[in-house]
Amino acid sequence: MPSAQFAEQVRIPDDAFIAGLDRELAARDLGERLAFIAETFGNAVLTTSLGLEDQVLSWAVSEHARSIRLATLQTGRLFPETVALIATTNARFGLEIEEYLPEAADIESYKSQYGLNGFYDSVEARHACCNIRKVKPLKKALAGADAWITGLRRSQSDNRAHVPFAEWDEANGLVKLNPLADWTADAMQAAIAEHDIPVNPLHARGYPSIGCEPCTRAIRPGEPERAGRWWWENDEKRECGLHVPEASPLPNASQLPENAATKI
Ligand code: SF4
């Protein structure tokens, strides 16, 4: 259960709320972190792309915190292997991963303006595609939620080297929690082997990080984990817009979810 000391901290300043969450999560193991999140927030959502991190988190939710919702962004451009893994994961862990799709009107509008695969032609066109197929569906997945759980890890890329356990997500106006922030790739693999967690078969074919099929390639030996994502772009900080690399400002008191503060 959340400690009395933490409860006192979160009722006072906003920065203490986030810092207190960060400390509480840092002091726990993965199962305890998820149980703490489930006890603290009334509507916590784990968004999963079916990657290794998200598979570990899905397993941990099924074991320790079944009240946490799971949601995935069905962009319409996923690998068949990824789509199949949604059903496999649901069946294996007794979960119901919610699927959020882009709006048909947005797809048509995009195709008219850029062409179906216009994302190869410019960063602007790529961001526009990620916006309609990922960012907008994410907002639907997070509607009504008071905490967003992700599989971000510090060692995934330089861009994610300073990921905290808890932060304020300005874009979506809620607390963002990264319970795997301090996990290494080796720790991930050990958990997957120990608990026989199902994973995407593409990982064994050189795809450590898997997104949409037309925007993901296998990596070469020695390349960073995310080098196969939007490989034709030069920007070293390329992301899909779901995760803002720079630290977000802390919230004002009025921005904090009321139920989160009172429940703790
Ligand atoms: S990853 Fe590629 S296909 Fe998927 S939403 Fe972004 S630009 Fe579109």
Side-chain angles (χ1 to χ4, degrees):
M1 291 289 290
S3 69
Q5 182 186 14
F6 180 61
E8 183 62 22
Q9 287 170 337
V10 300
R11 285 190 174 88
I12 310 175
D14 304 336
D15 56 350
F17 179 85
I18 300 296
L21 276 174
D22 196 84
R23 279 195 301 275
E24 292 284 339
L25 292 171
R28 289 166 161 82
D29 67 22
L30 180 59
E32 292 168 342
R33 287 173 185 173
L34 290 165
F36 174 82
I37 292 168
E39 290 162 1
T40 301
F41 295 94
N43 187 349
V45 179
L46 164 64
T47 53
T48 170
S49 63
L50 290 300
L52 295 176
E53 289 79 8
D54 296 330
Q55 290 303 96
V56 169
L57 286 173
S58 295
W59 163 78
V61 163
S62 75
E63 289 283 315
H64 301 282
R66 297 190 68 89
S67 66
I68 291 175
R69 291 168 46 218
L70 281 84
T72 193
L73 309 179
Q74 223 308 2
T75 66
R77 304 303 303 269
L78 300 178
F79 286 91
E81 291 88 342
T82 305
V83 175
L85 189 54
I86 297 173
T88 301
T89 304
N90 281 337
R92 176 68 187 281
F93 299 136
L95 298 171
E96 281 190 44
I97 300 172
E98 302 165 16
E99 297 183 37
Y100 290 85
L101 284 68
E103 296 288 340
D106 285 342
I107 300 293
E108 289 309 310
S109 173
Y110 184 88
K111 288 196 304 196
S112 299
Q113 185 171 356
Y114 300 104
L116 177 64
N117 292 337
F119 41 77
Y120 292 127
D121 298 333
S122 71
V123 172
E124 182 238 329
R126 204 270 287 169
H127 285 171
C129 186
C130 284
N131 185 53
I132 61 166
R133 291 185 186 271
K134 291 184 173 182
V135 177
K136 288 181 70 175
L138 174 68
K139 290 195 181 301
K140 285 195 277 185
L142 296 180
D146 49 19
W148 174 23
I149 304 166
T150 86
L152 296 184
R153 289 190 300 107
R154 293 169 191 151
S155 60
Q156 280 175 316
S157 68
D158 291 345
N159 203 23
R160 297 181 176 181
H162 304 291
V163 165
F165 292 109
E167 59 190 318
W168 177 251
D169 186 80
E170 185 69 21
N172 294 294
L174 80 178
V175 174
K176 183 173 170 182
L177 304 166
N178 310 305
L180 292 177
D182 59 347
W183 276 49
T184 63
D186 286 346
M188 299 280 314
Q189 294 292 353
I192 287 165
E194 180 180 356
H195 304 292
D196 193 24
I197 296 171
V199 299
N200 197 319
L202 291 171
H203 293 306
R205 294 182 226 152
Y207 294 80
S209 176
I210 303 170
C212 292
E213 185 168 16
C215 299
T216 309
R217 66 157 172 78
I219 64 169
R220 292 179 281 272
E223 283 190 315
E225 281 184 43
R226 288 176 61 81
R229 306 292 296 277
W230 309 290
W231 69 93
W232 65 91
E233 293 182 5
N234 293 322
D235 181 3
E236 293 302 316
K237 288 192 171 184
R238 56 186 184 264
E239 292 271 358
C240 58
L242 302 183
H243 305 295
V244 180
E246 291 78 17
S248 299
L250 291 169
N252 297 318
S254 61
Q255 292 175 298
L256 287 170
E258 283 181 25
N259 58 336
T262 53
K263 280 179 184 224
I264 292 167

